[in-house]
Amino acid sequence: MPPHRPSLDLEALRMLALVADLGSISAAARAEQISQPSASKRIQVLERQLGLALLDRRTRGATLTDQGRMVTGWCRSVVEATDALITGSQALAARAAERLSIGASQTIAEYLAPTWLGEFRRRPGEPPVQLRVANSQEVIAALRAREIDLGFVETPQIPSDLHRRRVARDRLVLVVAPDHPLARRRHPLGRDELAQTPLASREDGSGTRDTLRLAIGRSMVPPAVELDSNAAVKVLVSSGSFPAVISELAVANELRDGRLVEVPLAEVDLSRSLDAVWRKGTRLGGAAEHFLQTARPARPPIARTPPTSRVRESDRTASSPIPPAGPADESARA
């Protein structure tokens, strides 16, 4: 069994060092602004804990014993290291208070966060913001590791140890190049057909991949290609190689310009919530709360009607606009 280690009082160690420097317990007590009996008691408790006589008490003061001189050297090291710890920690805390660290999954970071950041920084007195861009699971991991103060994710699977608040609604769409065979399809693609279609896909851990897997289920075939950004997915789809299921926010411009074509879907719901998340058991600081208030639901994209040459009138239902976001879903704050 390891030897018993007494829990030493840091103030008693500091007092011993002061006695050594000032030559008496009364002088050390005055320096610490406490009574002499209190100072004497601290030294006595320390002597009992260590089992050593540290001071030779005399009428004209107190001098260190040989053992006291050795212990005092160690005390100084402990006190100095503790002071460095406290000073450094206070500096880190002050630095953290001067900036807000947030994380956002790619679609949110690319298409929503810039507007939020601009509005937030226009407010007087708000600190600088450090934005980390990652996929949803990486944002959640950074939040749990206390590397960020607030996260924004696309995944429908929010862990139970996090608060969530909806900030926007989104819809995933199946897109292809204009010359892809699916662009000429006359009927919506059903759930089973989509499940068996090799896709250009975002990486595992992304909110897009999580949403699609949850909507399709275990019958979904593995992706033909995995890519770690929306931009890379769009480039590959534009080449005509593979279809992709991607956020409507990410392809709004390409669909409007005709560079990509939306393939209507049936029997599958690919709408999703975009959520702010933060740790349970913690209270959001002022800057984080202010930023969360800035992250309001975005306006839904303008509805688009597929060209009549490609989709029959009866197939237009798949191109309905995203419904406006409802009241924010907010868990009780810690």
Side-chain angles (χ1 to χ4, degrees):
M1 296 290 291
H4 173 68
R5 294 183 178 179
S7 177
L8 302 180
D9 182 4
L10 178 64
E11 296 307 318
L13 303 183
R14 194 185 302 276
M15 181 60 61
L16 180 63
L18 282 172
V19 172
D21 292 338
L22 302 177
S24 70
I25 295 177
S26 59
R30 286 193 298 271
E32 286 292 278
Q33 298 183 344
I34 61 174
S35 67
Q36 181 173 339
S38 296
S40 182
K41 184 173 181 60
R42 288 183 183 179
I43 300 296
Q44 290 170 358
V45 170
L46 182 60
E47 288 177 318
R48 271 199 311 273
Q49 290 176 326
L50 297 177
L52 298 172
L54 303 175
L55 293 180
D56 183 6
R57 294 167 176 81
R58 302 175 182 178
T59 55
R60 293 188 178 181
T63 59
L64 294 172
T65 64
D66 291 341
Q67 294 173 332
R69 279 189 287 273
M70 294 184 64
V71 171
T72 300
W74 298 328
C75 286
R76 293 189 194 280
S77 299
V78 173
V79 170
E80 290 170 1
T82 303
D83 288 343
L85 169 65
I86 294 172
T87 301
S89 298
Q90 290 173 339
L92 289 175
R95 188 182 305 171
E98 294 173 357
R99 72 176 183 183
L100 173 63
S101 181
I102 64 175
S105 54
Q106 284 199 18
T107 300
I108 296 174
E110 293 170 358
Y111 302 101
L112 298 178
T115 300
W116 300 342
L117 288 167
E119 182 176 340
F120 179 77
R121 290 294 288 142
R122 281 193 294 271
R123 296 178 179 177
E126 297 293 5
V129 180
Q130 180 182 36
L131 173 63
R132 176 186 297 194
V133 182
N135 67 36
S136 291
Q137 295 306 320
E138 291 168 342
V139 170
I140 289 172
L143 196 61
R144 285 172 159 171
R146 299 180 179 273
E147 296 170 358
I148 57 175
D149 305 307
L150 183 65
F152 295 90
V153 296
E154 308 157 35
T155 179
Q157 300 170 317
I158 306 295
S160 60
D161 60 329
L162 300 180
H163 288 300
R164 69 187 296 173
R165 182 190 296 180
R166 190 174 75 192
V167 296
R169 296 284 296 176
D170 187 24
R171 181 171 70 104
L172 301 183
V173 291
L174 177 64
V175 294
V176 295
D179 57 353
H180 192 279
L182 284 177
R184 298 184 294 275
R185 184 182 174 90
R186 298 179 60 84
H187 300 281
L189 199 70
R191 176 195 182 100
D192 293 339
E193 291 176 291
L194 178 60
Q196 297 303 310
T197 301
L199 300 171
S201 172
R202 284 289 307 279
E203 78 284 3
D204 200 20
S206 68
T208 298
R209 181 82 164 266
D210 290 345
T211 301
L212 181 60
R213 183 188 294 113
L214 191 63
I216 300 299
R218 296 181 179 275
S219 61
M220 187 173 67
V221 299
V225 182
E226 289 189 18
L227 301 157
D228 61 1
S229 72
N230 290 327
V233 171
K234 290 192 290 184
V235 168
L236 185 60
V237 174
S238 297
S239 72
S241 301
F242 297 101
V245 172
I246 192 170
S247 167
E248 188 171 23
L249 290 168
V251 292
N253 291 335
E254 288 82 359
L255 292 173
R256 183 172 55 250
D257 298 342
R259 286 173 285 163
L260 295 178
V261 175
E262 178 183 347
V263 180
L265 299 173
E267 304 169 356
V268 58
D269 180 13
L270 293 179
S271 61
R272 63 178 179 175
S273 174
L274 307 182
D275 297 305
V277 289
W278 65 97
R279 295 180 298 274
K280 286 186 177 179
T282 61
R283 184 180 182 85
L284 285 180
E289 177 63 30
H290 295 166
F291 191 90
L292 187 56
Q293 293 170 1
T294 303
R296 292 187 296 269
R299 294 176 57 187
I302 299 173
R304 294 177 305 281
T305 303
T308 54
S309 62
R310 292 181 180 144
V311 182
R312 297 182 308 180
E313 190 70 23
S314 61
D315 295 338
R316 296 181 186 273
T317 56
S319 295
S320 58
I322 300 175
D329 300 328
E330 181 179 5
S331 9
R333 295 183 191 166

